[in-house]
Amino acid sequence: MAPPAPAGAHPTSAEPLSRSIFRKFLLMLCSLLTSLYVFYCLAERCQTLSGPVVGRLGGGKEAGASGRGVPAGGPGEPAAWPAAARGKRLLQVQPWPRRRPLAPREDGEVAAWEEEPPGLAGSPGGSGAGSSVAETPPGTLALLLDEGSKQLPQAIIIGVKKGGRRALLEFLRVHPDVRAVGAEPHFFDRSYDKGLAWRDLMPRTLEGQITMEKTPSYFVTREAPARISAMSKDTKLLVVVRDPVTRAVSDYTQTLSKRPDIPSFESLAFRNRTAGLVDRAWSAIQIGLYAEHLERWLRHFPARQLLFVSGERLVRDPAGELGRVQDFLGLKRIISDKHFYFNQTKGFPCLKKAEGSGRPHCLGKTKGRPHPEIDGQVLRRLRDFYRPFNRKFYQMTGHDFGWDG
Ligand code: A3P
């Protein structure tokens, strides 16, 4: 039997109980503080806690003439992050320093296609993800913590439909200094009346990051050049172009997948098939008249502000094409061969690590789908039809895309 408690003392059972409650409370407090600290560290803020202010690295022009964060540089300055921007990052004791590992080693290793990573063979969609990459790009944590600010886009992928725009955007998003809207905002064609509240659609960006959007119909929208120029004459414009005949078939394939009852490609492509009279009013044909659309853009933008990405080369050599794009945008060349592998099943290049998920990622099923077979004579007639427009386009851009070979 237990001895009786001395007079005046608390009952023995109460003491361990309150102590255990207190201990549990302390434990909870400790784990809460630890979690907070870990979260803080994940956000890489630890570095700013006691970090010394570092001296300026060098002179140079301020990043982006517009002051909206487009790094200076261009085709002539491929790998240079503007010195001033670099210095600024260090000098400011950044509230939000670079959150992501930067360039993979640029030691030239792995130049060609790599073999499919194990576990992916047989899965046409790679990771199985859809055509839009996870919406957790560079600024996810910044967003959570309400960091960064929304900017109007400094670069826009303006076209063309079925050229390979999704591939370009998803590949570009791997870059830590690119933030892009996932969906197509259609601001300059459909929602212009809403005013620049449209900026709210943009992701937050940090200093030095580029805000991008893609809306393919801009390239063929009459009002778009003037409207974009009114927003900023410095906007950089990217157009993914592809052999207009293949593009037209791809366009038709997309419509057919949604409305299987539409007439055949052959009947839609001609106003008079016997006479070989192509129906250039049909949008699938019209979009491919690149030279005509480009003329309108050149009335509002100097040629140096437009970059034409080859849709064919984007498939054959995505890293090479992305190299040109990074130079054009004044970005450090970070996206390289090391980021891609060729998925045999899909028949297209895929990302080894998608932005946000870190897992291999191919574009979704609606990208790279088989086309219906089209009468060879029809295709030949269309090639003849497009030839003069293509030639003019090559002259205007100074680049032979090889569609008439
Ligand atoms: P197809 O589906 O006709 O083959 P957009 O994104 O502008 O709609 O373009 C779609 C086209 O992008 C596809 O047309 C496909 O050929 C091309 N493409 C380019 N790179 C690709 C990739 N890595 N994966 C899938 N499709 C790609």
Side-chain angles (χ1 to χ4, degrees):
M1 237 175 79
H10 292 293
T12 43
S13 57
E15 196 165 72
L17 186 70
S18 63
R19 229 185 261 156
S20 111
I21 290 174
F22 182 65
R23 227 180 283 133
K24 274 184 190 151
F25 173 73
L26 264 183
L27 208 69
M28 273 171 61
L29 193 69
C30 284
S31 42
L32 186 73
L33 286 174
T34 316
S35 330
L36 273 175
Y37 181 73
V38 168
F39 183 72
Y40 210 66
C41 286
L42 280 176
E44 289 184 26
R45 288 191 160 217
C46 298
Q47 293 168 22
T48 61
L49 292 178
S50 56
V53 176
V54 186
R56 186 174 276 277
L57 287 179
K61 281 187 203 161
E62 183 52 73
S66 64
R68 284 184 288 109
V70 182
E77 304 166 83
W81 183 261
R86 265 196 323 259
K88 214 167 162 198
R89 277 171 184 242
L90 294 167
L91 276 166
Q92 278 182 340
V93 186
Q94 296 276 318
W96 195 269
R98 240 179 230 294
R99 300 164 314 291
R100 305 193 318 156
L102 265 188
R105 288 177 313 144
E106 292 184 71
D107 51 11
E109 125 199 7
V110 192
W113 288 119
E114 298 208 9
E115 282 301 278
E116 203 161 312
L120 280 169
S123 86
S127 65
S131 65
S132 67
V133 122
E135 291 290 312
T136 47
T140 305
L141 274 173
L143 234 148
L144 281 173
L145 296 174
D146 213 23
E147 298 258 357
S149 59
K150 296 190 175 196
Q151 306 290 338
L152 294 172
Q154 293 101 37
I156 306 182
I157 300 176
I158 55 173
V160 297
K161 186 182 176 193
K162 305 321 290 173
R165 309 144 301 158
R166 174 55 69 182
L168 175 63
L169 190 71
E170 292 207 8
F171 297 166
L172 252 182
R173 289 169 78 151
V174 170
H175 201 291
D177 291 327
V178 171
R179 295 293 325 274
V181 195
E184 292 171 1
H186 281 281
F187 175 68
F188 293 104
D189 54 350
R190 296 184 199 156
S191 312
Y192 196 61
D193 302 342
K194 291 183 186 153
L196 295 182
W198 164 68
R199 185 196 299 245
D200 288 342
L201 289 177
M202 298 298 139
R204 286 181 201 285
T205 43
L206 305 167
E207 191 193 340
Q209 288 185 321
I210 293 183
T211 304
M212 287 193 73
E213 73 122 300
K214 109 169 153 61
T215 304
S217 44
Y218 291 164
F219 188 58
V220 297
T221 300
R222 291 196 165 272
E223 302 79 11
R227 288 173 175 177
I228 295 180
S229 159
M231 174 187 74
S232 168
K233 286 190 190 311
D234 297 328
T235 313
K236 295 194 176 182
L237 308 164
L238 291 133
V239 195
V240 193
V241 285
R242 180 183 185 188
D243 176 349
V245 180
T246 326
R247 198 219 66 81
V249 178
S250 172
D251 200 339
Y252 173 80
T253 310
Q254 173 158 305
T255 314
L256 190 67
S257 71
K258 293 177 190 157
R259 291 162 42 206
D261 55 337
I262 55 166
S264 69
F265 178 89
E266 288 84 344
S267 57
L268 289 167
F270 294 97
R271 273 167 54 202
N272 182 333
R273 188 169 168 186
T274 333
L277 203 58
V278 174
D279 185 359
R280 48 173 295 166
W282 183 33
S283 70
I285 298 291
Q286 231 254 325
I287 292 172
L289 303 170
Y290 303 141
E292 293 198 350
H293 305 301
L294 178 56
E295 265 172 6
R296 277 200 308 275
W297 287 89
L298 291 178
R299 280 181 222 135
H300 297 270
F301 288 94
R304 66 170 184 280
Q305 265 168 253
L306 286 121
L307 183 76
F308 291 90
V309 176
S310 157
E312 286 81 12
R313 203 168 157 228
L314 197 58
V315 176
R316 242 182 10 251
D317 176 19
E321 214 52 9
L322 264 288
R324 288 180 64 228
V325 174
Q326 290 170 95
D327 291 352
F328 172 71
L329 294 174
L331 293 166
K332 188 174 164 70
R333 274 198 182 212
I334 284 175
I335 306 165
S336 69
D337 277 313
K338 285 173 257 174
H339 289 85
F340 303 98
Y341 73 95
F342 189 82
N343 186 309
Q344 301 289 352
T345 320
K346 174 98 182 153
F348 281 91
C350 299
L351 282 170
K352 282 185 187 165
K353 282 185 186 175
E355 180 49 56
S357 80
R359 291 168 49 201
H361 174 72
C362 293
L363 266 59
K365 286 190 197 117
T366 61
K367 307 290 174 184
R369 57 187 154 197
H371 296 172
E373 203 169 312
I374 308 292
D375 185 298
Q377 239 185 352
V378 168
L379 294 178
R380 274 191 295 281
R381 173 67 198 108
L382 286 179
R383 291 209 179 286
D384 291 343
F385 167 77
Y386 275 119
R387 190 164 296 113
F389 296 101
N390 289 347
R391 292 235 168 101
K392 187 163 179 206
F393 182 64
Y394 300 163
Q395 270 173 10
M396 291 169 89
T397 56
H399 184 83
D400 182 342
F401 287 84
W403 300 319
D404 307 294

